[in-house]
Amino acid sequence: ACEAQTASGCEWKGARCGMKCGWYLSAGTCDARDGCEWDTSRMICVDKCGMYTMSTSCDAAANGRCAWKGSACGVRCAWYLAQAPCDQLGLVNGCAWDQGEQRCVKDPPDSPCLHKYSWGFVYDTTTTCKR
């Protein structure tokens, strides 16, 4: 059974037993597995946040990487360590790069950055996003 194999890197992924994402050491093998994705900031294989369907399991998942965002599980803004992944990948999670603090932050609805993004404009690196 899967429970007996957890010490060797197995866990339940939905209805089937599979290897824990952290056991995959390259982007190619990681991304090819259900429920896993390669984290380009930390260069490790992690659980996809979208596989969690309840807020409690989402918030407790993936070493703090995931957070419940309204009606779905997404990546925490603070997980993005550089501007490029924050601006590109974090956008779908409501994140924006704060130039003043040099970190990825949750963008509030009244932020000028969010309005620029929602209308498809390119991010203005001279603008500091509000938290």
Side-chain angles (χ1 to χ4, degrees):
C2 195
E3 292 85 4
Q5 299 177 35
T6 55
S8 63
C10 295
E11 66 182 353
W12 285 107
K13 293 187 177 263
R16 66 175 189 81
C17 185
M19 291 290 289
K20 292 180 181 179
C21 295
W23 285 70
Y24 299 107
L25 303 177
S26 71
T29 55
C30 173
D31 290 337
R33 302 299 184 256
D34 287 338
C36 299
E37 66 185 339
W38 189 253
D39 180 335
T40 57
S41 293
R42 290 174 171 77
M43 303 302 286
I44 57 173
C45 188
V46 295
D47 291 340
K48 285 183 179 177
C49 294
M51 66 186 257
Y52 299 100
T53 57
M54 295 182 358
S55 62
T56 51
S57 59
C58 171
D59 291 336
N63 297 324
R65 179 174 182 263
C66 305
W68 192 255
K69 300 185 180 232
S71 61
C73 188
V75 178
R76 284 184 197 277
C77 297
W79 193 262
Y80 300 109
L81 300 177
Q83 183 173 353
C86 176
D87 288 346
Q88 295 164 7
L89 305 172
L91 177 59
V92 297
N93 291 312
C95 304
W97 188 255
D98 185 315
Q99 289 293 333
E101 295 187 24
Q102 289 295 296
R103 65 187 182 106
C104 195
V105 296
K106 179 85 176 127
D107 218 19
D110 63 344
S111 168
C113 296
L114 187 61
H115 297 300
K116 285 182 184 179
Y117 284 133
S118 65
W119 291 102
F121 293 106
V122 176
Y123 179 70
D124 176 4
T125 56
T126 62
T127 302
T128 300
C129 299
K130 295 183 229 173
R131 279 194 293 158

